Amino acid sequence: GAVVSQHPSRVICKSGTSVKIECRSLDFQATTMFWYRQFPKQSLMLMATSNEGSKATYEQGVEKDKFLINHASLTLSTLTVTSAHPEDSSFYICSALTGGVTEAFFGQGTRLTVV
Amino acid sequence: GQQVMQIPQYQHVQEGEDFTTYCNSSTTLSNIQWYKQRPGGHPVFLIQLVKSGEVKKQKRLTFQFGEAKKNSSLHITATQTTDVGTYFCALGGGSQGNLIFGKGTKLSVKP
């Protein structure tokens, strides 16, 4: 199946700093990527949909100024958590769709801890 | 928006016992997908069901889609320790292809 690489896998940052998470499709072009957040023992909650070359679509309740998404190419989407606070600590996962295939391919996830 | 209820939230079984998780929706679904997430890992696609009454098997896993396309189940026969993880159903077909996940069923298997 298609491979999606997410980096970093773990990051610890100080409160008030920003963290950038990268999501790359390694062997296919992804016109659409999705960013999810998963709190401990909970399900995946869609944060935003990222489309190459256009602004991301954010789900209700997700602050677009806090979670900056850039999808500059067909193989790369980035999520930047700005001015991170401890309540932003979570597992962030990206996924991508390939053309003509409906299953989602997920990155390995990034565990963010804000101290 | 569309929602799906998944039960049970947790299931603890002895190795060799069977396991079933259920997903239910109040609306008719165009399709349903199933994913498995190992502890500390990311979701991995298992299968997609599209047709009314569809039944698909993958070794010890049996997936069903209800006749009314409002519910689905995943059944594991004779669980093994390698089956440990959280199983999610997910609704596809968002306007941009996004998935809506159920809350998941966390399976633990005691050897």
Side-chain angles (χ1 to χ4, degrees), chain A residues 6-73:
Chain A
Q6 188 173 340
H7 178 81
S9 58
R10 289 180 180 272
V11 59
I12 301 173
C13 71
K14 291 185 177 180
S15 186
T17 61
S18 295
V19 173
K20 180 185 281 189
I21 303 170
E22 293 188 348
C23 181
R24 293 181 183 273
S25 56
L26 297 186
D27 51 0
F28 67 99
Q29 293 183 333
T31 54
T32 305
M33 290 186 175
F34 306 96
W35 288 95
Y36 293 85
R37 180 167 52 185
Q38 185 178 35
F39 290 108
K41 299 183 180 180
Q42 293 190 21
S43 187
L44 291 87
M45 299 301 296
L46 180 67
M47 298 176 66
T49 302
S50 168
N51 292 295
E52 185 266 339
S54 64
K55 291 184 178 180
T57 304
Y58 290 82
E59 295 300 300
Q60 192 173 6
V62 178
E63 300 175 57
K64 60 180 67 177
D65 294 331
K66 180 170 183 62
F67 298 99
L68 301 179
I69 291 173
N70 184 281
H71 195 154
S73 76

Side-chain angles (χ1 to χ4, degrees), chain A residues 98-112:
Chain A
T98 66
V101 178
T102 54
E103 70 181 88
F105 299 98
F106 285 85
Q108 299 92 328
T110 298
R111 188 161 301 283
L112 170 63

